[in-house]
Amino acid sequence: MNYYSLNKISPPATFEEATIKGQAPDKGLYFPSTIPTLSKDFIANIKTKSKEEIGFEVMKPFVGESIPDDVLQNIITETINFDFPLVNVHNNVYALELFHGPTLAFKDVGARFMSRCLGYFNRNKNQHTTVLVATSGDTGGAVANGFLGVDGVDVIILYPSKKVSVVQELQLTTLGKNISALEINGSFDDCQAIVKEAFADADLNKKLTLTSANSINVARWLPQQLYYFFAYQQWQHEEPPVISVPSGNFGNICAGILAHVSGLPVKHFIAACNANDVVPQFLQSGEYQPKKTIATISNAMDVGNPSNFVRVLELFRHQIKDLKNILSSYSIGDAATKATINEVFNQYNYTLDPHGAVGYYALIDYLGDGVQNSSGGGIFLETAHPVKFPETVEEAINTKIEIPDNIKYLFNQQKRSIQMNASFDDFKEWMMNR
Ligand SMILES: *Cc1c(COP(=O)(O)O)cnc(C)c1O
């Protein structure tokens, strides 16, 4: 499998090259040259297959010759060694819980897969790869955890000081070893701007092999398809599900749509957004207008110009009509999000996190009376554990959230961060002298 740049200037790349580069030299996103088709047999027999078998079957065509089968099998087994349960919330509404990984958010899968691929690609080289990543919260923890101790890979995480939750900060600042956390005196956009400038800086690129671990990287983006197969494996209704995806950078939902184009039955997709409504506006007006990011309580979706949306358009060859047949999009404000968390807790005893709440709200709105329809129904992705957003959730449900056992140790760890102003020059000086 080759990958072409969506800017159509750079030459095609293998999976290995695309993973190491992150972004094509012409600044385009890499996109698979062909979309694999899954056999009807595979879909019909999906319930008899293990997660590992599904993972291998789905990922193999995308990885191609870049990784031998036995190594790929191991990478997949390690990547998905936790549960992805489909939980009934009420009627025909289900939560696909993607927070059972080590950092309690769905980004674990992409980060674990990418880190192991890079570890394999670096196996014989004494060269180092430096992974640069800006985070509004969840990416940093998942990348830190996924890349910890991977040979030949250094990870530098930039996060906005005081703008991530306590659990999120502990997850990205306490690991040490090959992980460094830069606490930037500024916003997420400032962190992102520094990272972007670093990728374009001649001196830094001469000294280091830089790559990105954001969802523009194919090795982080593509394995997210697996959630949708795991959901379908557990789906008991006749009609395929409507799937609502809390969306920010549109990597996750784009992976779902890709799985569908490959043959996975899905009735409809909903991109559930917060006040950052570029895509809902686009589907209404046909005009794509990036905006400045608005801060919300579902902060992992605070994205004013979603990088992966061009991949969604590419899947439909920019035919908006075809896209609208399969995708709807909603924008849901903070007040409705909080009210939803409260309502679902009181009525159904299920605790949503703010991102899942946006997904739930959009799904219920879309299904309408279909909530009662026994032959169908819908799934929303619960993308993070509510304990990652304790202030918002505890206020909404008026109850303390229990801290899951597997993260209690975090509270005894020592935070280690390097404080820095939101200045590219300061960052560059630090990078050149470390
Ligand atoms: C990253 C994230 C999202 C948004 O996912 P995209 O792939 O960027 O659309 C949603 N919810 C949570 C909890 C996240 O961490």
Side-chain angles (χ1 to χ4, degrees):
M1 169 82 76
N2 273 330
Y3 292 81
Y4 60 92
S5 162
L6 291 181
N7 284 353
K8 312 270 163 76
I9 300 168
S10 299
T14 63
F15 178 75
E16 173 168 359
E17 289 161 346
T19 299
I20 291 171
K21 287 205 176 80
Q23 202 172 16
D26 64 8
K27 305 223 166 20
L29 269 63
Y30 281 116
F31 195 84
S33 58
T34 50
I35 307 299
T37 317
L38 292 155
S39 73
K40 290 226 160 56
D41 248 23
F42 174 75
I43 299 295
N45 297 320
I46 198 161
K47 291 201 166 63
T48 66
K49 300 197 187 288
S50 68
K51 280 189 316 197
E52 289 74 17
E53 284 170 325
I54 296 173
F56 185 77
E57 183 97 10
V58 171
M59 291 309 294
K60 173 68 194 164
F62 290 99
V63 172
E65 306 299 309
S66 289
I67 300 176
D69 286 0
D70 56 330
V71 177
L72 179 61
Q73 243 143 13
N74 281 340
I75 290 177
I76 286 167
T77 303
E78 286 179 22
T79 297
I80 56 173
N81 69 346
F82 43 86
D83 294 333
F84 302 83
L86 187 68
V87 175
N88 183 233
V89 178
H90 62 88
N91 299 89
N92 294 322
V93 176
Y94 297 80
L96 182 70
E97 294 186 348
L98 300 178
F99 56 73
H100 295 275
T103 73
L104 310 184
F106 80 90
K107 291 188 173 72
D108 280 324
V109 164
R112 288 161 80 78
F113 187 80
M114 180 185 163
S115 64
R116 284 158 178 81
C117 291
L118 264 191
Y120 176 75
F121 298 147
N122 279 346
R123 67 199 176 284
N124 301 321
K125 303 175 190 151
N126 19 17
Q127 99 170 18
H128 260 65
T129 307
T130 302
V131 171
L132 277 187
V133 63
T135 183
S136 58
D138 286 334
T139 301
V143 167
N145 195 286
F147 282 80
L148 181 67
V150 174
D151 280 343
V153 182
D154 249 339
V155 177
I156 310 213
I157 299 166
L158 288 79
Y159 75 98
S161 182
K162 303 195 178 66
K163 295 199 175 69
V164 302
S165 77
V166 174
V167 170
Q168 286 176 328
E169 184 167 42
L170 287 169
Q171 284 174 335
L172 61 91
T173 56
T174 56
L175 292 174
K177 293 195 186 150
N178 59 331
I179 315 292
S180 309
L182 301 190
E183 182 172 355
I184 303 293
N185 201 350
S187 66
F188 168 67
D189 287 333
D190 294 330
C191 298
Q192 181 111 318
I194 293 173
V195 168
K196 279 205 176 131
E197 208 170 332
F199 285 121
D201 186 86
D203 299 325
L204 284 175
N205 282 284
K206 213 164 127 193
K207 180 173 163 169
L208 302 160
T209 307
L210 295 176
T211 193
S212 150
N214 288 95
S215 57
I216 55 168
N217 195 304
V218 292
R220 242 203 76 189
W221 169 51
L222 293 167
Q224 302 181 119
Q225 291 177 92
L226 299 181
Y227 312 138
Y228 300 85
F229 288 92
F230 299 158
Y232 188 67
Q233 200 184 20
Q234 299 170 74
W235 184 247
Q236 301 288 351
H237 297 274
E238 230 169 283
E239 286 174 20
V242 173
I243 303 185
S244 174
V245 185
S247 294
N249 231 343
F250 279 68
N252 192 356
I253 193 164
C254 184
I257 298 174
L258 174 63
H260 174 62
V261 173
S262 300
L264 182 75
V266 176
K267 193 167 173 190
H268 198 74
F269 282 97
I270 302 168
C273 301
N274 57 28
N276 295 281
D277 63 351
V278 183
V279 173
Q281 288 295 338
F282 168 75
L283 289 181
Q284 242 175 36
S285 69
E287 267 180 69
Y288 186 86
Q289 286 225 314
K291 296 182 185 168
K292 233 178 120 67
T293 305
I294 301 165
T296 75
I297 56 170
S298 46
N299 65 5
M301 312 198 301
D302 293 351
V303 181
N305 186 12
S307 339
N308 282 290
F309 194 64
V310 284
R311 282 180 168 145
V312 175
L313 291 173
E314 186 75 5
L315 272 170
F316 293 89
R317 294 187 192 78
H318 294 256
Q319 297 301 310
I320 311 299
K321 241 181 82 198
D322 297 344
L323 174 61
K324 278 174 146 177
N325 280 335
I326 189 72
L327 178 71
S328 302
S329 190
Y330 286 75
S331 164
I332 288 123
D334 280 354
T337 307
K338 284 183 202 165
T340 301
I341 297 173
N342 174 279
E343 207 179 289
V344 172
F345 180 76
N346 288 330
Q347 287 188 19
Y348 309 115
N349 198 21
Y350 189 88
T351 311
L352 294 164
D353 96 291
H355 307 78
V358 170
Y360 172 90
Y361 184 104
L363 176 65
I364 295 296
D365 194 301
Y366 180 84
L367 287 177
D369 295 340
V371 171
Q372 315 279 354
N373 166 11
S374 61
S375 62
I379 297 170
F380 65 96
L381 305 196
E382 204 7 312
T383 45
H385 193 291
V387 79
K388 294 190 95 169
F389 310 95
E391 289 88 3
T392 306
V393 177
E394 287 176 357
E395 190 195 303
I397 66 176
N398 217 349
T399 308
K400 251 203 113 56
I401 311 170
E402 256 190 66
I403 296 175
D405 285 341
N406 61 340
I407 61 157
K408 282 191 177 141
Y409 75 95
L410 273 176
F411 294 90
N412 308 319
Q413 307 288 307
Q414 177 72 38
K415 164 183 160 181
R416 281 193 207 88
S417 70
I418 296 148
Q419 309 224 352
M420 200 175 277
N421 284 325
S423 142
F424 177 71
D425 291 339
D426 289 5
F427 172 77
K428 180 171 171 180
E429 194 186 321
W430 181 80
M431 289 286 281
M432 294 300 281
N433 296 316
R434 50 197 297 267

